[in-house]
Amino acid sequence: MSVLIFLDQADGHIRKSSFEAACYGSQLAAQLGVPAETLVIGTVSDDLASLGQYGINTVHTITENSLNQADGQVFTQVIAELVRTINASVVVLSNNMLGKAIAPGLSVLLKAGLVSGAIDLPTTSNGFVVKKNVFGGKAFAHVGITTPLKIITLNPNSFPITKLEAKATVKPFVAIIPPSKVKVVSTKKVEGEVSLSEAEIVISGGRGLKGPENWGLVTDLAKVLGAATACSRPVADINWRPHHEHVGQTGLAIAPNLYVAIGISGAIQHLAGVNRSKTIVVINKDPEAPFFKSADYGIVGDAFEIMPKITEAVKKLKNK
Amino acid sequence: MKILVCISKTPDTTAKVTFTVNNTKFAEEGVQWIINPYDEWYALVRAIELKESGIVSAIHLITLGNADCDPIIRKALALGGDEAIRINADSQDSFYIAAQIAAVAKEGNYDLVLTGKETIDYSGSAIGGMLAALLEWPFISHATHLTLENSQATLVKEIEGGEQTDQVQLPIVVSCQKGMAEQRIPNMKGIMGARTKTLTVREPVAADSFTSFVQFDLPAAKAGVKLVSADHPEELVRLLHEEAKVI
């Protein structure tokens, strides 16, 4: 028995959301009194033994170049094979694009109940119950998994990364790689310097900024804070900003530590994508903007005057 | 070519979320139901576009639920579905639901099954992937574009931090998101025509459930917004640093 954590990598490096999954999985393993094991697929340049600092005992690797860019269903079959080999009782993945492509198929292959988008460790005193957000962040559900084998996908930015001093054992896993039914024609990177779904701080702009030429107000602050940038739906729809920056119900749902909304009124569809943020700041010249009701901090005023002053103040703070 | 579009009934985004039976069940009374937006705006409308372009001959809709689903099925038929199947069962377990759809997809000789990327109520993102595994068909998740040529599909999907273009032979399962199509509003002709389109009610096949909702609760109310004067925006920076400790 063990907890197996699938670690997602990009360009040879383990993703931040995967470190969160590693910490989540190893703490769950400790709770269950079993070892924590991980699987890394593809060629990774990181020191994998150092994954021990996240509480990982064993790292299984499949260093196959062809798997740097594979179809989710191929990963699903490879993970299922490892689960059977090491007799894992829980599989943890990040609830990111790849995790969402893999986990449902894995659930069918292994006849294992899946809870996607977990935000806390399961309670295991009476059954196996996982907490997740439902109804666009308006409620929590506690979902019981009734199968012997369990699969959990963890929402990015929902679990703290903690470190200890330990080394993991790295072991190659010889897997049967099934042929992919999907031919990858091309891939294109579209994200900025900071990944929006993994960002701890997100600075977001709405129609109140009046035009794409004014986006410096958003990007200047984002730059000094090392933050990702986002926008509201109308802004993406009128092409002021790219669609992948759209956060909200039909765009990306995010949960950063700090979300700063500038010139966004806060329609319920927008809130559904951002209300899991830990701290929300709203800057809007309309004191009646509904967003203020969901905010922790707010300034009623003209963003064109306020934003440069905030950016200046942050620069001063950073230089201290 | 035949498409099966999976649709789900969800509470309207503005619906008040409360629970009954010791917080174990969503309180449905007085709730305005809609077609899950990802199923409607992206999966269904893209299917309709493919039919309009002459590539697809029939669009069938499938949902799982009791007769309360019929209004949203009629709306989907009014938008452009040809006929609909309702599995007469009540379940929130993704595996159970996927097993029901798989049974219909297997015997219906479909070339393509479309789902939304997730439902806006339980956000499981699971039906498409489970269905593909049950049918042993390829699965493309989070697709933003889909074109068909003979028996080959070309798709663009969102991947972490970017996008990927894939080619794959039909039949396939695709989960759809923004980019696939634009929202449409049913016209009067569609609404009138939908009344006489076939809606078949079928009893569920035997299937397992892997999960169950034990309890729901509501997040603690926010303390209320702390307003900072527009004359002293630097005070906000101090609060975020010293009080909220987020910068």
Side-chain angles (χ1 to χ4, degrees), chain B residues 123-224:
Chain B
S123 300
S125 300
I127 301 296
M130 287 185 172
L131 197 52
L134 287 165
L135 295 168
E136 298 180 356
W137 291 2
F139 173 51
I140 306 294
S141 71
H142 295 87
T144 56
H145 291 90
L146 160 66
T147 52
L148 299 174
E149 208 182 331
N150 301 320
S151 65
Q152 181 173 273
T154 303
L155 300 108
V156 181
K157 69 178 180 194
E158 189 180 347
I159 55 172
E160 214 55 35
E163 57 182 42
Q164 179 173 314
T165 304
D166 288 340
Q167 273 178 352
V168 59
Q169 291 296 313
L170 301 178
I172 56 172
V173 178
V174 179
S175 86
C176 307
Q177 66 170 5
K178 189 168 183 166
M180 280 295 256
E182 294 293 332
Q183 184 182 6
R184 288 188 182 188
I185 294 165
N187 57 28
M188 194 41 79
K189 187 167 165 261
I191 294 167
M192 299 304 284
R195 291 184 189 169
T196 52
K197 285 180 178 171
T198 309
L199 164 56
T200 312
V201 179
R202 292 174 51 155
E203 290 309 310
V205 296
D208 291 331
S209 284
F210 291 171
T211 59
S212 67
F213 284 86
V214 177
Q215 212 188 351
F216 294 95
D217 49 43
L218 298 170
K222 284 241 174 192

Side-chain angles (χ1 to χ4, degrees), chain B:
Chain B
M1 200 177 283
K2 267 170 76 182
I3 301 188
L4 183 64
V5 180
C6 308
I7 59 171
S8 180
K9 146 180 154 288
T10 58
D12 185 79
T13 319
T14 54
K16 190 163 170 54
V17 174
T18 54
F19 301 97
T20 60
V21 203
N22 279 330
N23 286 328
T24 57
K25 218 175 164 347
F26 174 64
E28 300 194 348
E29 215 169 275
V31 166
Q32 173 80 35
W33 297 100
I34 57 170
I35 310 171
N36 179 46
Y38 296 109
D39 305 345
E40 178 189 338
W41 303 355
Y42 309 124
L44 176 57
V45 177
R46 186 61 192 140
I48 295 166
E49 289 172 354
L50 290 167
K51 195 183 167 198
E52 286 167 350
S53 69
I55 303 165
V56 167
S57 56
I59 301 167
H60 291 183
L61 308 167
I62 184 163
T63 195
L64 183 136
N66 58 27
D68 290 350
C69 295
D70 291 355
I72 68 120
I73 298 171
R74 291 288 170 201
K75 189 192 169 192
L77 289 169
L79 279 164
D82 294 303
E83 55 181 274
I85 301 149
R86 174 165 65 78
I87 308 292
N88 192 30
D90 189 17
S91 175
Q92 306 300 352
D93 179 66
S94 303
F95 181 79
Y96 181 88
I97 297 167
Q100 302 306 325
I101 300 171
V104 171
K106 257 180 203 156
E107 61 173 59
N109 216 8
Y110 296 97
D111 302 281
L112 185 61
V113 180
L114 300 181
T115 72
K117 73 163 182 173
E118 63 183 63
T119 59
I120 61 166
D121 46 9
Y122 298 107
S123 300
S125 300
I127 301 296
M130 287 185 172
L131 197 52
L134 287 165
L135 295 168
E136 298 180 356
W137 291 2
F139 173 51
I140 306 294
S141 71
H142 295 87
T144 56
H145 291 90
L146 160 66
T147 52
L148 299 174
E149 208 182 331
N150 301 320
S151 65
Q152 181 173 273
T154 303
L155 300 108
V156 181
K157 69 178 180 194
E158 189 180 347
I159 55 172
E160 214 55 35
E163 57 182 42
Q164 179 173 314
T165 304
D166 288 340
Q167 273 178 352
V168 59
Q169 291 296 313
L170 301 178
I172 56 172
V173 178
V174 179
S175 86
C176 307
Q177 66 170 5
K178 189 168 183 166
M180 280 295 256
E182 294 293 332
Q183 184 182 6
R184 288 188 182 188
I185 294 165
N187 57 28
M188 194 41 79
K189 187 167 165 261
I191 294 167
M192 299 304 284
R195 291 184 189 169
T196 52
K197 285 180 178 171
T198 309
L199 164 56
T200 312
V201 179
R202 292 174 51 155
E203 290 309 310
V205 296
D208 291 331
S209 284
F210 291 171
T211 59
S212 67
F213 284 86
V214 177
Q215 212 188 351
F216 294 95
D217 49 43
L218 298 170
K222 284 241 174 192
V225 61
K226 195 178 251 190
L227 287 176
V228 173
S229 160
D231 299 328
H232 297 285
E234 67 284 355
E235 172 63 6
L236 174 71
V237 175
R238 189 192 67 81
L239 287 167
L240 292 177
H241 181 61
E242 292 175 12
E243 191 177 86
K245 296 185 168 52
V246 285
I247 62 172

